[in-house]
């Protein structure tokens, strides 16, 4: 366990629980968890913070995924196919991350997020009910390419809001409701988190004791969030989605101009 105060450990555990809840409902838990770890571990190497973050997040994501799969209609095989594509995409994005200015990317991402928020806000029916017609093979391949390779690449390149982007892409491409999209996104996230964690662990960049403690709270938050999403339905998920997108726009704006 790193040398941090009991108060900070409590703060980190509360942040882990809240992040697990947010991530289970609509994605974007890293918006809370990663800054909390940066605050709690000011002297740690950035890669160690990222590795510890992945070790915590994968537990809550896996717990939420299991909860969803047991109670929601999820095409697990398709989700795994998208997840494997996302894993490959994230590796490619990570390989190029050092040569691309993130300051140049943030304004573009903010524009996309504002468009997304407007789309969801002014289309109340978006993701509230699944389509009754079967999804074509072309749409499935497009989902693997865009939601898998494309968003996976973005995750490796810059990262914030990956889970939220996955939910939106899966809803639009596969005609899922927001609950089913959140469930599918959790399986995809498990694949990408597992690959990243394996690399960080190989490099010795994970604080396992702290991660194990925080993971317990992240798991609890994730399972509670998944159950609330299943119980309250797509309208509830839509409200959380708009809140998370708004928070992401503010966060990126502060990083760019703050």
């Amino acid at each position: 366990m790193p040398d941090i105060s009991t108060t900070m450990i409590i703060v980190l555990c509360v942040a882990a629980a809240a992040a697990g809840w947010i991530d289970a409902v609509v994605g974007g838990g890293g918006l809370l968890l990663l800054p909390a770890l940066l605050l709690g571990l000011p002297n740690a190497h950035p890669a160690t913070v990222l590795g510890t973050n992945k070790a915590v997040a994968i537990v809550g994501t896996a717990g939420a995924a299991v909860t969803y799969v047991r109670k929601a209609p999820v095409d697990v095989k398709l989700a795994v196919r998208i997840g494997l594509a996302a894993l490959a995409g994230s590796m490619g994005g990570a390989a190029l991350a050092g040569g691309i200015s993130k300051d140049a990317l943030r304004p573009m991402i903010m524009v996309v997020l504002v468009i997304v928020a407007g789309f969801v806000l002014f289309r109340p029916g978006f993701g509230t009910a699944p389509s009754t017609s079967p999804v074509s093979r072309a749409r499935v391949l497009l989902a693997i390419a865009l939601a898998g390779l494309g968003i996976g690449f973005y995750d490796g390149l810059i990262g914030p809001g990956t889970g939220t982007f996955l939910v939106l892409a899966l809803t639009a491409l596969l005609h899922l409701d927001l609950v089913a999209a959140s469930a599918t996104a959790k399986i995809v996230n498990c694949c990408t988190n597992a690959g990243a964690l394996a690399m960080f662990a190989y490099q010795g960049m994970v604080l396992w004791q702290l991660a194990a403690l925080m993971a317990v709270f992240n798991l609890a938050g994730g399972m509670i969030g998944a159950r609330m999403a299943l119980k309250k339905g797509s309208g509830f998920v839509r409200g959380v989605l708009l809140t998370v997108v708004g928070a992401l726009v503010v966060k990126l704006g502060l990083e760019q101009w703050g």
Side-chain angles (χ1 to χ4, degrees), residues 19-254:
W21 187 91
I22 293 169
D23 209 43
V25 176
V26 75
L31 292 171
L32 178 60
L33 186 56
L34 192 56
L37 282 167
L38 288 170
L39 176 66
L41 303 169
N43 299 319
H45 190 281
T48 300
V49 175
L50 291 171
T52 304
N53 173 64
K54 287 297 182 185
V56 175
I58 193 172
V59 176
T61 300
V66 170
T67 301
Y68 274 123
V69 168
R70 291 173 59 187
K71 297 185 178 181
V74 183
D75 187 336
V76 177
K77 290 183 179 180
L78 176 58
V80 171
R81 288 165 64 191
I82 297 172
L84 293 175
L87 175 59
S90 65
M91 293 174 66
L96 296 175
I100 295 178
S101 171
K102 294 181 181 180
D103 289 337
L105 288 174
R106 287 193 191 104
M108 291 187 290
I109 296 167
M110 290 175 63
V111 170
V112 171
L113 284 170
V114 170
I115 292 172
V116 164
F119 180 80
V120 175
L121 187 62
F122 294 108
R123 290 193 61 181
F126 178 74
T128 57
S131 173
T132 55
S133 56
V135 178
S136 67
R137 178 177 175 80
R139 279 188 171 271
V140 170
L141 293 175
L142 191 59
I144 293 172
L146 294 183
L149 285 171
I151 296 178
F153 181 84
Y154 166 80
D155 191 20
L157 187 67
I158 186 167
T162 296
T164 304
F165 283 132
L166 276 172
V167 171
L168 291 167
L170 292 169
T171 301
L173 294 172
L174 300 179
H175 296 159
L176 302 175
D177 63 37
L178 286 170
V179 173
S182 293
T184 305
K186 295 289 91 56
I187 297 174
V188 176
N189 278 344
C190 281
C191 294
T192 55
N193 284 344
L197 178 59
M199 182 60 68
F200 284 122
Y202 176 75
Q203 297 172 339
M205 295 294 186
V206 181
L207 298 173
W208 290 108
Q209 287 182 306
L210 178 62
L213 178 61
M214 293 175 65
V216 173
F217 291 85
N218 191 251
L219 175 63
M223 295 181 71
I224 291 170
R227 288 173 181 168
M228 287 183 68
L230 288 165
K231 181 178 179 180
K232 294 181 178 293
S234 295
F236 169 73
V237 176
R238 180 176 179 272
V240 177
L241 174 63
L242 288 170
T243 302
V244 171
V245 168
L248 184 54
V249 170
V250 172
K251 178 179 183 295
L252 292 173
L254 290 174

